Amino acid sequence: MTLRFLRNKLVEVEPCSDGTLDVFWRLTDDLLKVDARLKIQPPELEITEAEVRMDRFPPSVCQSAPELFEDIEGVTIGPGLRKIVHGLFSGPGGCSILADAVLESANAVILHFTRPAIQAGESVTDDEEKLANTRAMLSANPRLIRSCVAFQDDSPIMQGIEL
Amino acid sequence: MITFNRSQVIGAEFPDGETVRFNGIQEDHIYGMEIQMDIRIYDGEILKIDGNMKRYTNFVCPSAIPVLQKAVGMSLKNDGWDKQVMREIGRKGCEHFAEIIIECGRCLRQALMSRDLTAALSEDPGLDQGQYLKNWEETHP
């Protein structure tokens, strides 16, 4: 059966020579096309530049999106970001696409930093050592506890873990 | 060089006049997941869901697949539906499955608009598409 609707979304993280990170976020579907770019300054992960462009048929509530999106400049990726973003972009009359763009870009930045450790862990072949490494990672990142099925209390990974 | 890249692709079929079938794929440098689910159009209820994990980070992750069945009966039109999906499917199962379901939910209204616009254009190829969609938004609160 043919598709009647298709959406493609893409987020990319690209380190720059000056130490900043460029994040490109794109949404394109039958009715909407959005391109957003954020510049992130480590180590605080401050959003120093933000721009967005909407084409095709943007929702009427997003007419002032390019100006509104600049309000995220100066905000740091970290605790409280979700609340700040929803305060700026969501709610009645808000343009929730902007909130999605920022939060998904922030998540991609976090995964940019996470990926090398996950790749390094793939060189470990011993199951017990893998388990010990995962438990050590959890001990160092207790916010992950109960964040998914693997880190629930009854998971074998959680058995015997000291937190 | 790109150091992290994530793609999401969401497709919508309309197998009959009352149902939309979403096929969602999420691929990135770390994870690879797929969701297929049927939604009843008038109330947004998830009627059926299946998922597949292609790449994940530890041996417990696949046990999130049966957790997907908790989504059956949830409505993608209720207030706070996305938070409910993240709580019940993301936290008790897999966050990445929840991300795909949420993106499918965000596409529900767009898919219906696209379907109706396509039908309207087949009747009137010269239709003012922007005006049609504006009217559609006003008549489908």
Side-chain angles (χ1 to χ4, degrees), chain A residues 33-109:
Chain A
K33 182 181 173 189
V34 186
D35 280 292
R37 184 185 71 87
L38 297 174
K39 183 170 277 295
I40 311 297
Q41 178 70 61
E44 294 84 5
L45 302 184
E46 180 188 347
I47 299 169
T48 57
E49 296 175 25
E51 57 188 35
V52 69
R53 178 189 166 115
M54 290 194 181
D55 291 306
R56 296 192 186 118
F57 305 106
S60 52
V61 293
C62 295
Q63 293 303 324
S64 59
E67 297 77 26
L68 189 60
F69 199 56
E70 293 174 5
D71 290 349
I72 200 66
E73 292 180 358
V75 174
T76 299
I77 295 174
L81 177 66
R82 187 169 296 275
K83 191 173 180 181
I84 293 169
V85 165
H86 285 304
L88 289 172
F89 304 134
S90 298
C95 180
S96 63
I97 295 166
L98 300 182
D100 301 338
V102 173
L103 293 174
E104 290 169 14
S105 295
N107 189 43
V109 168

Side-chain angles (χ1 to χ4, degrees), chain B residues 55-104:
Chain B
R55 282 174 296 105
Y56 42 90
T57 50
N58 69 66
F59 66 99
V60 183
C61 295
S63 57
I65 294 173
V67 178
L68 284 172
Q69 298 314 310
K70 289 176 184 285
V72 175
M74 286 185 191
S75 169
L76 301 178
K77 289 186 174 178
N78 285 349
D79 285 346
W81 65 270
D82 50 347
K83 290 187 179 67
Q84 184 187 17
V85 169
M86 190 49 77
R87 186 175 62 243
E88 296 298 324
I89 306 300
R91 290 200 157 260
K92 295 177 182 173
C94 173
E95 177 185 7
H96 309 294
F97 273 153
E99 288 167 339
I100 301 172
I101 295 170
I102 289 170
E103 195 58 37
C104 290

Side-chain angles (χ1 to χ4, degrees), chain A residues 4 7 9 112 115 149, chain B residues 3 8 10 12 91 93 103:
Chain A
R4 294 294 190 89
R7 169 172 289 183
K9 286 176 78 176
H112 149 85
R115 181 184 164 200
V149 70
Chain B
T3 52
Q8 278 185 332
I10 308 291
R91 290 200 157 260
E103 195 58 37

Side-chain angles (χ1 to χ4, degrees), chain A residues 12 28 47-48 54 77 87 118 148 154:
Chain A
E12 297 174 326
T28 178
I47 299 169
T48 57
M54 290 194 181
I77 295 174
I118 292 173
C148 70
D154 58 354

Side-chain angles (χ1 to χ4, degrees), chain A residues 107-128:
Chain A
N107 189 43
V109 168
I110 301 301
L111 290 169
H112 149 85
F113 288 111
T114 306
R115 181 184 164 200
I118 292 173
Q119 282 184 328
E122 289 176 337
S123 63
V124 177
T125 53
D126 180 72
D127 286 346
E128 285 302 315

Side-chain angles (χ1 to χ4, degrees), chain B residues 23-64:
Chain B
N23 301 278
I25 299 169
Q26 182 163 294
E27 291 280 349
D28 63 41
H29 275 97
I30 303 171
Y31 303 99
M33 317 262 165
E34 296 178 350
I35 290 283
Q36 184 177 76
M37 61 181 190
D38 286 0
I39 310 296
R40 188 163 55 217
I41 291 171
Y42 90 87
D43 62 358
E45 183 173 319
I46 297 174
L47 303 172
K48 183 182 174 195
I49 188 165
D50 292 300
N52 180 34
M53 281 190 173
K54 294 181 289 183
R55 282 174 296 105
Y56 42 90
T57 50
N58 69 66
F59 66 99
V60 183
C61 295
S63 57

